[in-house]
Amino acid sequence: MDIGELLAFKPEQTPKRPHEDDEDFEPETTAGKRGGGGSDEKAKRIRRIAEAKETANYGKQGSSSSTTASNAFELDPELTEEERLNIMRYVENEETDGDVLDEQGLKKLILVFEKRNLKNQEMRIKFVENPEKFMDSELELHTVIQELKGVATVPDLYPLLVELHGLHSLLELLAHQNTDIAVAIVDLLQEVTDVDILGESQEGAQALIEALRKEQICALLVQNLERLNEQVKEEADGVHNTLAIVENLTEIDGEFVREAAEQGLLAWLLKRLKGKTPFDPNKLYCSEILSILIQTENDNRLLLGSIEGVDVLLQQLAVYKRHDPASNEEQEYMQNLFNCLCSALMAKENRDRFLNGEGLQLMNLMLREKKMSRNGSLKVLDHAMAGPDGRDNCNKFVEILGLRTIFPLFMKTPKRNKLRLLSADEHEEHVSSVIASMLRNCKGTHRQRMLSKFSENDYEKVDRLLELHLKYLAKVEAIDKEIDQQPTDPSIDEDEEAENNYIKRLTGGLFTLQRIDYILLEVSSTSETVKQRVLQILNLRGASMKTIRSIMREYAGNLGDGDTDWRQQEQTHILSLVDRF
């Protein structure tokens, strides 16, 4: 086999069915060699035999592919019973063409790889001004890299790959002058780090992960990313596969989340998002990886803020202020950016950057424009204003006339359709949280402006509060009934069961109910007229103030982990509101 044929060889993870209309397809079967002028129907049957053989070969190496192929032939209405039986026998008896890689085969393959790698280096040094002289050695190197993909099917050989320094030599080639070689290495790494493959061998996975960490794989990948030109399709695929490697590594070992950010990937992602290139699949993938990096790691959130990541996210989202995404993929991209911004705002320092970068003004405009971005902007406002760190954002939102935007959304929940992705419950949760945060954080005239809203138009907002209270109270009561009827799990202790049940109640409507009842308490505590209105409606609907008190006492007792001083202060404040109510 010459070099050109070797380069054309691309191992596939799954067998590819030949096209029946492909005139160049000639199956390697005895019948195919004999036949010179048979009918089209006979040719089709010959092709089916070849497909069965190919599927059988993969089935012997993998799991039960041959069974699947057999079932397909059994259902084919064009075949006679005799032909069906002949094909079944052919599938069962045909020997596999290729052997699964073993230790000896891997040793030989690595030896060939090292020799060709060394030869290529020597030829490049010797003929530095004459690329034609070292091109053949480069093709040979590329070919053996493709052949090494066979190791991805046998993860038990990973420790040997590391021990023979094969992995080290492969990673060195990420800096090869020819980006085709570097992209081939990325393609190989993407296959060997596949999560499903690593799950087949704990020892192999551990050896590979430790070796990659020692080699600082993320730094090497970022250095290669910096030089790839995505205008070239092969290099664009290399970028995509690089991001897939990072996703695989972070799923296998959470420590890679921090390491990838520290080794330059976070900065590269922001740079890629900031570029003025049109939307493409790689841009979508970048937003997904960025979301993974800052979702749980606070140090990464701080790093993102320090390299102007909050501004980058706001700039990218500003595009969707007046224009909806053009496709489902771009819609997913926009949602990822909103999620990244929400994660970033969990760090106090980033809330200040969000405020200074006029993030509140952008979110307020998005709410008014009624485009798809309204859903994400509501979530971002919720994150920006929550807790004691949201005080400045709450006051600023009142200053920029945000009350004119948020209260119409509170009074009427928009109908959900295919373009408005938030459900009614999610919308009401975020709006209630924003209003509750402003009532807690705003002081002086800002707070007075908030409270005055509830006395407008014959206390219509108080009526709406009680309407939502009764709606979510019914949801929580249904969840409580469901919990009471569920059987006890003896494998879970009482504390864990209580925690699981509380989480179930929170997601079932309790979280929103707590926010609504908190607003009721805040507003009632400042106006006797509002309090009498609340009592009147509760009596008319057969509801009780005791229920609200009980919900808020439970809320005060489950404020969760956080700053101890803030938690004690918040508990005292809530219980004082309950006592006054």
Side-chain angles (χ1 to χ4, degrees), residues 331-450:
Q331 180 181 313
E332 185 181 348
Y333 168 70
M334 180 186 73
Q335 289 176 318
N336 288 339
L337 293 180
F338 275 121
N339 290 337
C340 288
L341 193 52
C342 289
S343 296
L345 289 171
M346 294 176 75
K348 179 184 183 301
E349 293 82 352
N350 288 337
R351 297 200 191 188
D352 296 335
R353 295 183 176 105
F354 176 79
L355 177 64
N356 296 330
E358 298 189 347
L360 286 171
Q361 287 88 333
L362 177 61
M363 298 304 119
N364 193 32
L365 286 170
M366 285 179 168
L367 289 177
R368 291 181 180 179
E369 288 294 335
K370 300 180 182 179
K371 296 293 183 181
M372 288 176 67
S373 56
R374 178 165 71 174
N375 306 302
S377 62
L378 200 52
K379 282 175 62 179
V380 169
L381 284 178
D382 188 358
H383 282 76
M385 297 180 181
D389 296 336
R391 185 169 292 118
D392 291 341
N393 281 311
C394 286
N395 286 298
K396 185 66 176 178
F397 192 69
V398 176
E399 289 175 15
I400 64 171
L401 307 179
L403 300 184
R404 296 181 184 179
T405 309
I406 201 71
F407 273 105
L409 294 174
F410 171 72
M411 289 303 297
K412 185 178 181 181
T413 301
K415 291 181 180 179
R416 182 179 184 179
N417 58 43
K418 64 180 181 179
L419 296 180
R420 307 291 177 261
L421 301 174
L422 278 185
S423 66
D425 288 356
E426 289 170 321
H427 174 91
E428 289 161 3
E429 175 193 320
H430 292 307
V431 172
S432 300
S433 294
V434 168
I435 294 173
S437 295
M438 285 195 287
L439 281 169
R440 183 70 184 100
N441 285 325
C442 290
K443 303 297 179 187
T445 56
H446 294 127
R447 180 175 169 80
Q448 286 303 316
R449 287 167 67 178
M450 277 288 300

Side-chain angles (χ1 to χ4, degrees), residues 74-134:
E74 288 169 5
L75 296 172
D76 192 333
E78 295 183 14
L79 296 175
T80 66
E81 187 63 29
E82 183 181 355
E83 287 171 329
R84 234 181 241 115
L85 291 172
N86 287 337
I87 291 172
M88 290 294 293
R89 280 196 291 270
Y90 191 91
V91 170
E92 290 170 4
N93 297 329
E94 185 66 17
E95 292 296 325
T96 182
D97 289 336
D99 296 325
V100 175
L101 194 65
D102 56 14
E103 283 193 17
Q104 198 62 33
L106 179 59
K107 288 177 181 178
K108 289 179 181 177
L109 203 51
I110 289 177
L111 184 61
V112 172
F113 163 72
E114 295 288 7
K115 285 181 177 178
R116 292 187 182 179
N117 186 16
L118 182 60
K119 180 184 176 183
N120 178 242
Q121 291 175 25
E122 291 173 347
M123 296 294 282
R124 271 188 165 272
I125 293 170
K126 187 175 180 181
F127 302 105
V128 66
E129 299 295 334
N130 193 354
E132 291 182 2
K133 295 285 187 180
F134 58 72

Side-chain angles (χ1 to χ4, degrees), residues 211-467:
L212 290 174
R213 173 170 285 124
K214 185 178 178 182
E215 297 280 353
Q216 292 196 315
I217 176 65
C218 295
L220 295 175
L221 291 173
V222 171
Q223 288 169 15
N224 187 47
L225 282 171
E226 294 283 4
R227 67 188 183 128
L228 293 181
N229 176 14
E230 292 185 65
Q231 300 303 312
V232 180
K233 183 186 182 302
E234 290 75 15
E235 296 188 27
D237 291 342
V239 171
H240 192 277
N241 287 335
T242 300
L243 298 175
I245 294 169
V246 175
E247 185 177 19
N248 291 340
L249 293 176
T250 54
E251 188 172 342
I252 289 291
D253 187 341
E255 282 297 309
F256 276 108
V257 172
R258 180 181 52 80
E259 292 171 15
E262 289 176 351
Q263 293 174 22
L265 183 63
L266 187 62
W268 183 87
L269 290 171
L270 290 172
K271 179 182 174 183
R272 176 65 174 81
L273 292 176
K274 192 177 180 180
K276 295 184 178 180
T277 54
F279 174 78
D280 59 22
N282 281 354
K283 208 165 191 177
L284 171 61
Y285 210 172
C286 284
S287 69
E288 292 173 3
I289 299 300
L290 180 61
S291 182
I292 290 171
L293 294 187
I294 64 174
Q295 194 169 27
T296 57
E297 194 70 38
N298 195 57
D299 287 344
N300 289 356
R301 297 176 192 137
L302 295 174
L303 176 60
L304 175 132
S306 68
I307 55 178
E308 300 181 354
V310 174
D311 283 342
V312 171
L313 292 172
L314 290 173
Q315 288 164 11
Q316 297 308 304
L317 284 169
V319 176
Y320 304 108
K321 180 173 59 179
R322 293 191 174 92
H323 303 284
D324 283 338
S327 64
N328 290 336
E329 290 75 17
E330 191 173 0
Q331 180 181 313
E332 185 181 348
Y333 168 70
M334 180 186 73
Q335 289 176 318
N336 288 339
L337 293 180
F338 275 121
N339 290 337
C340 288
L341 193 52
C342 289
S343 296
L345 289 171
M346 294 176 75
K348 179 184 183 301
E349 293 82 352
N350 288 337
R351 297 200 191 188
D352 296 335
R353 295 183 176 105
F354 176 79
L355 177 64
N356 296 330
E358 298 189 347
L360 286 171
Q361 287 88 333
L362 177 61
M363 298 304 119
N364 193 32
L365 286 170
M366 285 179 168
L367 289 177
R368 291 181 180 179
E369 288 294 335
K370 300 180 182 179
K371 296 293 183 181
M372 288 176 67
S373 56
R374 178 165 71 174
N375 306 302
S377 62
L378 200 52
K379 282 175 62 179
V380 169
L381 284 178
D382 188 358
H383 282 76
M385 297 180 181
D389 296 336
R391 185 169 292 118
D392 291 341
N393 281 311
C394 286
N395 286 298
K396 185 66 176 178
F397 192 69
V398 176
E399 289 175 15
I400 64 171
L401 307 179
L403 300 184
R404 296 181 184 179
T405 309
I406 201 71
F407 273 105
L409 294 174
F410 171 72
M411 289 303 297
K412 185 178 181 181
T413 301
K415 291 181 180 179
R416 182 179 184 179
N417 58 43
K418 64 180 181 179
L419 296 180
R420 307 291 177 261
L421 301 174
L422 278 185
S423 66
D425 288 356
E426 289 170 321
H427 174 91
E428 289 161 3
E429 175 193 320
H430 292 307
V431 172
S432 300
S433 294
V434 168
I435 294 173
S437 295
M438 285 195 287
L439 281 169
R440 183 70 184 100
N441 285 325
C442 290
K443 303 297 179 187
T445 56
H446 294 127
R447 180 175 169 80
Q448 286 303 316
R449 287 167 67 178
M450 277 288 300
L451 292 170
S452 65
K453 285 287 180 181
F454 290 92
S455 57
E456 291 176 352
N457 300 327
D458 194 26
Y459 302 99
E460 64 175 5
K461 295 175 182 65
V462 177
D463 296 351
R464 173 65 170 161
L465 270 175
L466 289 162
E467 177 190 335

Side-chain angles (χ1 to χ4, degrees), residues 486-497 500:
Q486 71 184 14
T488 304
D489 188 344
S491 63
I492 301 177
D493 61 39
E494 290 184 12
D495 290 341
E496 186 178 353
E497 185 178 21
N500 291 341

Side-chain angles (χ1 to χ4, degrees), residues 15-157:
K16 183 177 179 182
R17 289 178 61 89
H19 296 291
E20 292 184 356
D21 57 353
D22 189 351
E23 295 178 359
D24 296 329
F25 175 70
E26 295 182 6
E28 288 291 329
T29 63
T30 309
K33 289 175 182 175
R34 278 199 209 107
S39 67
D40 290 342
E41 287 301 316
K42 185 177 180 182
K44 287 181 181 178
R45 290 185 184 122
I46 292 171
R47 291 189 181 107
R48 290 195 189 98
I49 293 174
E51 291 172 23
K53 174 185 173 184
E54 184 181 0
T55 309
N57 290 341
Y58 277 92
K60 291 171 186 174
Q61 296 177 16
S63 54
S64 57
S65 303
S66 57
T67 306
T68 307
S70 302
N71 292 342
F73 283 115
E74 288 169 5
L75 296 172
D76 192 333
E78 295 183 14
L79 296 175
T80 66
E81 187 63 29
E82 183 181 355
E83 287 171 329
R84 234 181 241 115
L85 291 172
N86 287 337
I87 291 172
M88 290 294 293
R89 280 196 291 270
Y90 191 91
V91 170
E92 290 170 4
N93 297 329
E94 185 66 17
E95 292 296 325
T96 182
D97 289 336
D99 296 325
V100 175
L101 194 65
D102 56 14
E103 283 193 17
Q104 198 62 33
L106 179 59
K107 288 177 181 178
K108 289 179 181 177
L109 203 51
I110 289 177
L111 184 61
V112 172
F113 163 72
E114 295 288 7
K115 285 181 177 178
R116 292 187 182 179
N117 186 16
L118 182 60
K119 180 184 176 183
N120 178 242
Q121 291 175 25
E122 291 173 347
M123 296 294 282
R124 271 188 165 272
I125 293 170
K126 187 175 180 181
F127 302 105
V128 66
E129 299 295 334
N130 193 354
E132 291 182 2
K133 295 285 187 180
F134 58 72
M135 192 53 66
D136 285 347
S137 69
E138 217 128 286
L139 291 172
E140 291 173 356
L141 177 60
H142 191 279
T143 300
V144 77
I145 292 170
Q146 298 297 322
E147 292 173 359
L148 274 166
K149 287 184 180 179
V151 76
T153 62
V154 195
D156 288 331
L157 293 179

